[in-house]
Amino acid sequence: MIAVGGPLLLLGWVALAILAAQPAALLLLVFVQGTLSFALGSTLIARVLYEAAGAPTMGGSYATAALNIGAAGGPVAAAATVGLNAGHLGPVWVSGLMVTVALLIALPLRRFVGPRVSQAIR
C-alpha cells in the first residue's frame, strides 16, 4: 500500500492544486485524497506496530507520537502558507511537499521494514 498509495497521494495533491478551480474535480479529488490519506496513514501505523511486535508499548507510543506530530504540525505548516503568494492553494502544496518528503524517506527504506517473505507465507 505504501509503495502504491504514497505516489498516488502525491499525484492527487498536485492534481488538486492544479484543478482546484473546477468544482467537479475538486469534489472528487477531496474525496479521493481523504480516502488515500486515511488508508496510507492506517497502513503506516499498522507497520509501526508490526515492526515493534517485540516492544508493543514502545511501538504504540511511537505510532501515537507520529500521529500527533502530523495532526498538529501539518495544519500549522499549511496555515503558514495562506498569506504567501500561493494563497489558498498553499496548504495543498504543503501537503504535496510533505508527502514527497515522506516518500523520499520511506521508499528507500521499504526493503528494511517491508514484510519478509518467510513471514508473509505464514
Side-chain angles (χ1 to χ4, degrees):
M1 174 62 187
I2 297 168
V4 174
L8 285 176
L9 189 61
L10 175 57
L11 290 174
W13 286 123
V14 172
L16 184 63
I18 293 170
L19 300 171
Q22 307 298 321
L26 179 64
L27 181 63
L28 176 67
L29 285 167
V30 165
F31 176 76
V32 168
Q33 289 304 98
T35 303
L36 277 173
S37 295
F38 183 79
L40 193 58
S42 299
T43 301
L44 289 171
I45 290 170
R47 291 298 307 153
V48 167
L49 296 175
Y50 174 79
E51 290 297 324
T57 303
M58 289 306 297
S61 298
Y62 289 136
T64 301
L67 180 68
N68 288 338
I69 289 169
V76 168
T81 67
V82 173
L84 302 178
N85 290 339
H88 295 297
L89 291 178
V92 177
W93 288 114
V94 166
S95 296
L97 178 64
M98 288 182 166
V99 171
T100 301
V101 170
L103 288 173
L104 290 173
I105 293 169
L107 290 179
L109 298 175
R110 69 181 175 182
R111 72 173 215 198
F112 297 110
V113 295
R116 278 82 171 164
V117 174
S118 61
Q119 293 172 340
I121 295 174
R122 293 183 197 171

